[in-house]
Amino acid sequence: MINIAVLVSGSGTNLQAIIDEVGKGHIPAKIAFVLSDKKDAFALERARKAGIETITLDKKDYKKREDFDRKIIERLKNKNVELVILAGFMRLLSSYFVREYRNRIINIHPALLPSFKGSHGIKDALAHGVKVTGVTVHFVDEHLDNGPIILQKTVDIKEDDTEETLLERIHKEEHKAYPEAIKLFVEGKLEIKGRKVKVKYEVVRR
Ligand code: GAR
């Protein structure tokens, strides 16, 4: 059973979906801790309620991004964490962080990458007038919302959608897609070849 850690900044609905799936035994992993860069993130409440250790780091206490990241890496290594899950963690990771955990950091983005990168994926897709958007789970590299894609799910945009109504449907897909991707990683079923991620599904013999 591997140790995983979840990094958050906000409400933590994705964290909740992960906690629930780990709790049901669907993902064979232990959540070592939940770390937030915002002390009032509701995600921390969710973690505490589930009996998971929480850590809060305040960027004001660190001069450079890398110093902040060094502290996180220290915590991750102390707990032998093998997979870092960004679940609404609204900070760019330094290249130091990415190097230390290369191919072992994953992120979820509320759009079909490479479209609508950044922190307003839903708003930007609506404003652009696309008819289909979705969610992307991907490995994290040195560039914003850029690493190899593990899986994507589509969400149709309706004419009368607002940010709120679309967010609701995006979240529904995220809460299925993220646990699914984490399970694949934890079970050793993901193989990265350049930009491509191959999913090694078992062959069912009849
Ligand atoms: C999620 O919708 C996630 O896709 C988005 O933040 C939200 C966090 O929600 N992440 C990004 O936009 C990253 N660029 P949550 O705190 O309820 O899980």
Side-chain angles (χ1 to χ4, degrees):
M1 183 116 84
I2 77 163
N3 285 337
I4 61 180
V6 188
L7 275 48
V8 297
S9 301
S11 124
T13 63
N14 280 284
L15 168 69
Q16 190 65 57
I18 298 162
I19 290 175
D20 293 347
E21 291 303 298
V22 169
K24 286 183 211 154
H26 294 167
I27 301 172
K30 176 177 188 287
I31 305 177
F33 60 80
V34 169
L35 182 144
S36 173
D37 62 333
K38 301 265 184 294
K39 67 173 187 323
D40 52 0
F42 187 66
L44 291 169
E45 283 296 313
R46 297 180 190 270
R48 283 185 208 112
K49 203 168 160 209
I52 299 165
E53 183 187 337
T54 59
I55 299 170
T56 307
L57 297 182
D58 188 338
K59 68 169 189 274
K60 288 204 284 304
D61 297 334
Y62 302 87
K63 273 207 208 103
K64 290 187 290 181
R65 182 179 299 277
E66 196 172 310
D67 297 339
F68 184 93
D69 285 4
R70 275 185 192 281
K71 195 77 210 169
I72 303 181
I73 294 288
E74 200 180 284
R75 297 297 194 114
L76 293 168
K77 293 202 168 163
N78 270 341
K79 295 277 181 184
N80 296 318
V81 168
E82 291 181 55
L83 173 67
V84 181
I85 297 161
L86 309 183
F89 187 62
M90 293 311 204
R91 270 180 73 81
L92 265 182
L93 303 185
S94 61
S95 47
Y96 161 74
F97 194 136
V98 176
R99 271 198 315 274
E100 288 293 314
Y101 268 84
R102 168 119 20 232
N103 297 340
R104 292 185 298 156
I105 311 167
I106 59 177
N107 181 44
I108 191 153
H109 184 75
L112 293 175
L113 291 175
S115 290
F116 311 117
K117 295 180 178 187
S119 42
H120 305 288
I122 297 176
K123 192 175 168 191
D124 293 347
L126 261 183
H128 197 89
V130 292
K131 307 288 188 196
V132 178
T133 185
V135 315
T136 304
V137 183
H138 65 97
F139 284 103
V140 171
D141 68 9
E142 280 85 352
H143 307 285
L144 176 71
D145 298 330
N146 180 71
I149 292 170
I150 301 168
L151 55 86
Q152 292 184 303
K153 306 273 181 198
T154 57
V155 174
D156 287 341
I157 295 187
K158 298 176 183 164
E159 260 175 34
D160 58 353
D161 258 333
T162 61
E163 249 184 82
E164 288 69 35
T165 57
L166 183 55
L167 172 79
E168 204 174 299
R169 298 206 306 292
I170 292 267
H171 265 169
K172 227 177 182 176
E173 290 305 320
E174 287 192 335
H175 301 160
K176 285 187 273 177
Y178 220 0
E180 186 183 332
I182 294 165
K183 184 176 165 68
L184 289 171
F185 181 98
V186 166
E187 290 179 343
K189 290 186 177 151
L190 299 179
E191 194 181 326
I192 307 177
K193 282 198 173 143
R195 272 218 56 86
K196 301 203 179 139
V197 180
K198 197 173 154 198
V199 180
K200 296 183 274 181
Y201 287 107
E202 267 138 47
V203 181
V204 181
R205 296 186 195 284
R206 289 163 205 249

